[in-house]
Amino acid sequence: MRALQESRRLLVLSGAGASTASGIPDFRGASGVWSRFDPREFHVERWRADPEGFWRLRMRLMEELDLAHAKPNAAHEALASASASPRFLGHVTQNIDGLFLRAGHQEERLVEIHGTAAKVRCLACDRFFPYEVVGATLPPPCPQCGGPLKPGSVLFGEPLPAGAWAQAQRWARDADLLLVVGSSLEVTPVALLPGLALERGARLVIANATPTRYDAHADALVRGAVEAEVPALLRAAGF
Ligand code: NAD
């Protein structure tokens, strides 16, 4: 694809569709998580109002996602390998499964903008702990200070980590091409990034199985499975 071949400052924006081939369901796809769970249960206000009920459901969701057994697929591996290229500016992922890092992605070129499900954070002492500290006692107490623990991923109703959002916006302004990989582009503010990049004259390529609100602005649309399409696209473009 010419747009990708010509790119010298590539920014990738990925979402849950990058990990469905690893066995992790997306949220809004046909058999997505929201067909079985109510998204309102994962709002930060729900956690504040009833931490025990919140954590009970969160543990069920984590069992269903089963992140510990998931392995990176060909899309993670191709993007991880491309991230070493001098033409690769950065990658903003909405995924909380850690699979890009496990595939060997350059850390300084990856922003996990919705945090990570592998960790929990204590709101009293501000330390992070592995998710496995969540166990028998609900709501789970901080193993260091007994304070309240929150998932290490961003909940609905919470702001994004300021540093991560600032980096994502900088990359969106500097990129010459934004490649979307497996995202419905429905979750804001991340879904504002394509608009920001387009305003600055970047090209847009969307690799997603189903239509998105930005399709009309894209230079190219790739409708196949990203684990097959993205490795081939990157290889053909010299990444
Ligand atoms: P989404 O569920 O809203 O959209 C995923 C998109 O990917 C859908 O449009 C679907 O049609 C497409 N898709 C699914 N499998 C595909 C494949 N193999 N090839 C091509 N396209 C495919 O996901 P989103 O836009 O990332 O937003 C959802 C939010 O949910 C994010 O904030 C993210 O943090 C979170 N989430 C993360 C994970 C994960 O970490 N793996 C899983 C579910 C949800």
Side-chain angles (χ1 to χ4, degrees):
M1 178 187 298
R2 221 168 115 198
L4 209 52
Q5 270 163 7
E6 290 172 358
S7 173
R8 293 294 172 268
R9 295 184 312 280
L10 173 66
L11 174 62
V12 176
L13 172 58
S14 66
S19 292
T20 52
S22 296
I24 304 172
D26 61 14
F27 276 180
R28 292 172 187 76
S31 52
V33 169
W34 296 152
S35 61
R36 294 179 297 287
F37 289 86
D38 180 348
R40 284 170 301 187
E41 297 286 355
F42 299 99
H43 198 280
V44 67
E45 290 309 328
R46 176 83 173 93
W47 174 74
R48 286 204 184 100
D50 173 17
E52 187 178 336
F54 170 91
W55 272 107
R56 199 171 304 118
L57 215 60
R58 176 78 184 185
M59 285 169 78
R60 266 185 48 209
L61 175 68
M62 289 294 282
E63 268 169 40
E64 170 147 346
L65 297 180
D66 195 19
L67 303 181
H69 291 106
K71 293 195 178 59
N73 65 54
H76 299 111
E77 278 157 12
L79 286 164
S81 150
S83 73
S85 163
R87 293 162 58 204
F88 194 100
L89 181 65
H91 178 178
V92 178
T93 187
Q94 300 167 83
N95 292 350
I96 56 174
D97 55 32
L99 289 180
F100 285 111
L101 289 176
R102 276 175 50 198
H105 200 292
Q106 304 285 308
E107 273 188 50
E108 68 284 3
R109 289 181 177 171
L110 183 71
V111 166
E112 292 178 314
I113 198 133
H114 289 160
T116 170
K119 292 189 182 143
V120 291
R121 183 164 73 92
C122 174
L123 292 197
C125 68
D126 206 29
R127 287 195 182 92
F128 281 88
F129 302 94
Y131 173 76
E132 287 67 34
V133 302
V134 176
T137 316
L138 290 185
C142 170
Q144 289 287 329
C145 75
L149 292 179
K150 204 195 75 58
S153 56
V154 175
L155 300 179
F156 290 121
E158 276 193 305
L160 298 179
W165 179 234
Q167 174 66 280
Q169 287 176 291
R170 265 197 306 277
W171 279 341
R173 288 194 202 97
D174 290 347
D176 64 4
L177 188 147
L178 175 60
L179 170 65
V180 175
V181 177
S183 175
S184 64
L185 299 177
E186 288 296 328
V187 179
T188 51
V190 173
L192 303 175
L193 291 174
L196 202 57
L198 286 166
E199 265 171 34
R200 294 296 183 108
R203 287 164 153 179
L204 178 64
V205 175
I206 301 179
N208 197 58
T210 48
T212 77
R213 65 173 77 180
Y214 282 105
D215 285 6
H217 302 281
D219 284 75
L221 297 171
V222 181
R223 281 281 181 252
V226 293
E227 60 277 14
E229 302 288 348
V230 167
L233 279 177
L234 290 171
R235 212 177 309 118
F239 279 95

